[in-house]
Amino acid sequence: MATPSASPGNDHPAAAEAATQRFPELYVPEMPFAMPELQALAADGLLARLHHRGYTLPGVAASPQLRARAAAGAVPPSVRQRVVAGRMTAAWIYGCAAEPDRLALLVDAKRRVSSLRNTRGCTLHEVKLGPFDVVSLGGLMVSSPLRTALDIAGSSQLRV
């Protein structure tokens, strides 16, 4: 009698968990491959690029949580808890826009922006944030869908 294999298509919960442990949802440099290896795996069709430095297995649905995890990897850990992904970055996380070239990070006006200078590859925007303006997704604070829509509608980023 054959035993069920631990493949992603198997309906057995233990098999699905084992497959998830063997094949994570998100691959980033140094976990477990270096960037050139990730790029080579993507070129061979074994991985698909999700974000500047984040890759997934082909066919994996890019959920808002997964996009937020990928974006979080581009934000230095030392500032991750003090910034909020917003504007077109949040729209991309929610699946409503293309991936931005640079992450847009919002900083509450009550915080010191000068201490966040090591956010290379990110654009900082000092704003006032209310208690309902921020949600947590995939280890990153993200502007709420309503706040994101209002920020984009009120900026020059809206293209007609």
Side-chain angles (χ1 to χ4, degrees), residues 101-131:
D101 292 332
R102 296 175 61 88
L103 295 180
L105 300 177
L106 308 179
V107 181
D108 196 310
K110 298 172 197 160
R111 296 198 178 262
R112 288 184 44 201
V113 177
S114 62
S115 64
L116 303 176
R117 297 213 188 274
N118 65 342
T119 53
R120 222 174 56 193
C122 304
T123 304
L124 295 174
H125 303 274
E126 191 173 341
V127 298
K128 287 185 179 181
L129 293 170

Side-chain angles (χ1 to χ4, degrees), residues 16-148:
E17 183 179 332
T20 301
Q21 289 174 355
R22 276 187 36 212
F23 302 109
E25 279 189 309
L26 182 66
Y27 292 87
V28 295
E30 309 310 324
M31 296 185 74
F33 304 108
M35 190 64 173
E37 293 170 313
L38 291 171
Q39 291 169 332
L41 288 166
D44 290 343
L46 299 172
L47 291 179
R49 186 179 163 280
L50 173 67
H51 181 60
H52 298 293
R53 297 170 49 90
Y55 294 83
T56 63
L57 293 173
V60 170
S63 67
Q65 290 80 7
L66 188 59
R67 285 191 198 98
R69 281 182 50 210
V75 178
S78 61
V79 300
R80 199 172 295 151
Q81 296 303 316
R82 297 184 286 161
V83 297
V84 175
R87 300 186 178 188
M88 296 307 287
T89 300
W92 171 72
I93 288 171
Y94 293 125
C96 301
E99 176 187 8
D101 292 332
R102 296 175 61 88
L103 295 180
L105 300 177
L106 308 179
V107 181
D108 196 310
K110 298 172 197 160
R111 296 198 178 262
R112 288 184 44 201
V113 177
S114 62
S115 64
L116 303 176
R117 297 213 188 274
N118 65 342
T119 53
R120 222 174 56 193
C122 304
T123 304
L124 295 174
H125 303 274
E126 191 173 341
V127 298
K128 287 185 179 181
L129 293 170
F132 302 106
D133 289 341
V134 179
V135 297
S136 178
L137 281 176
L140 184 67
M141 299 306 288
V142 181
S143 62
S144 69
L146 178 58
R147 172 64 190 246
T148 301

Side-chain angles (χ1 to χ4, degrees), residues 85 102 106 115 151-152 154-155 160:
R102 296 175 61 88
L106 308 179
S115 64
D151 284 346
I152 292 171
S155 75
V160 181

